[in-house]
Amino acid sequence: MPTADEPFDPAAAPDERRTRALIAGVAATVGFVALRVIVALNGHAPLPIDVWWSDLMIAVRTDVGVFLAWIPAIVGGTVGMIVIGALLVLALVWRRRRWDAATLAVAMVIVVAIGAPLAALIARTRPSDSLAERMATSFPSGHTAVATTVVVVLALALRRWYVWVAGAAWVILMMWSRTYLHAHWLTDVTAGLLEGIAVAALVWSAVEALRDRRARRAASTADEHLTPQETARP
C-alpha cells in the first residue's frame, strides 16, 4: 500500500478511474431519484417487495440473529461512525495521504448533511415493529448511506481488491441488519446504498480533479522558472 499521496505526472494520461467513478456517481444519483419517485407514487407506503422482505425477516428471526444484527447497527450508528470516521481520517493523514483523508471527511459530512434532512422531508414511516429505531422517518437508511460512502471512498483511494470485497460484505451486512431489526424497509436501505455510492463517487471525482489541477499548475510554474539550458536538457 502506498504510504503517501502519489506524485502527479503532468504528462500522464487522465485517470480512467475518475471517469468510471463519475459515471457510477451519476448513475447512482439517477437510481436514487427514480426509487424516490416510485416510493412517492406509492404514497410512501411499503412496496410489495418491502412487504415480502419484511415477512421473510420475521420468519427467520432468532435471538442469535437479533444479537448479531445489533453489532453493525451499533458500530454504524452516529457515535460509532463519528469515532470510526475520525480514526480513518487520522490514519490516512498519518500515512501521508492528506488528499484521501480530506475526501473521506468531506464525503461523510455531505452524506449526513443530505440524508438526515431528506429523511425528514420524505417522512416515510418505518416498520411498526422496529426493534432498533423510534424516529418515524426511514427513507433513506442513514446507516447504509454512511457505510457505503466510507467503503467506496476507501476502495477508490487505496485501489486494493480486498478493500472492495471486505467493504461490500460490510455494506451487505449493514443492509441486512437494518431490515432484520425492522428499522428500515428494503427500499430504504437500497436508497441508502445508492446515496452512498453517489456521494462517495462524485466527491472523490471532484477532489481528484482539484488535486490534478493544482498539480498541473505547480508543474507549469516550475517549468516557467527553468533556465533555457535546463529546458533543453534531455
Side-chain angles (χ1 to χ4, degrees):
M1 182 185 301
T3 59
D5 291 325
E6 297 178 358
F8 175 76
D9 180 4
D15 190 347
E16 293 183 359
R17 293 183 311 133
R18 193 193 311 162
T19 301
R20 293 195 293 267
L22 186 59
I23 293 173
V26 173
T29 301
V30 172
F32 178 90
V33 172
L35 185 56
R36 163 73 182 99
V37 170
I38 292 172
V39 168
L41 291 176
N42 197 54
H44 295 157
L47 302 177
I49 193 171
D50 291 321
V51 175
W52 169 78
W53 184 259
S54 177
D55 290 343
L56 177 62
M57 293 297 97
I58 292 175
V60 300
R61 182 182 294 170
T62 63
D63 291 341
V64 173
V66 171
F67 173 79
L68 294 176
W70 267 106
I71 296 175
I74 294 173
V75 173
T78 302
V79 176
M81 288 315 302
I82 289 175
V83 173
I84 292 174
L87 291 175
L88 287 172
V89 169
L90 290 175
L92 289 170
V93 171
W94 179 70
R95 299 285 291 183
R96 293 183 294 166
R97 304 184 68 101
R98 294 175 295 275
W99 284 96
D100 296 332
T103 302
L104 180 59
V106 170
M108 290 185 69
V109 169
I110 290 178
V111 78
V112 172
I114 292 175
L118 196 60
L121 177 64
I122 295 173
R124 189 186 200 190
T125 304
R126 294 183 189 275
S128 59
D129 55 349
S130 174
L131 301 178
E133 300 289 346
R134 293 295 177 263
M135 293 181 62
T137 55
S138 69
F139 185 100
S141 166
H143 280 66
T144 306
V146 174
T148 304
T149 299
V150 172
V151 165
V152 173
V153 169
L154 290 179
L156 286 170
L158 301 180
R159 313 185 201 186
R160 295 291 184 266
W161 66 268
Y162 51 80
V163 178
W164 284 108
V165 173
W170 173 247
V171 171
I172 292 172
L173 181 64
M174 183 66 75
M175 295 173 71
W176 165 78
S177 166
R178 302 309 285 163
T179 55
Y180 194 82
L181 295 174
H182 273 211
H184 289 284
W185 303 106
L186 181 60
T187 45
D188 295 338
V189 295
T190 303
L193 173 69
L194 294 171
E195 180 194 354
I197 293 173
V199 171
L202 295 178
V203 169
W204 181 84
S205 298
V207 172
E208 286 297 295
L210 175 62
R211 176 183 176 183
D212 285 0
R213 187 176 299 113
R214 287 171 61 91
R216 288 182 187 278
R217 186 180 299 117
S220 176
T221 302
D223 288 343
E224 290 175 359
H225 288 84
L226 291 177
T227 65
Q229 293 79 5
E230 291 173 324
T231 306
R233 185 179 301 165

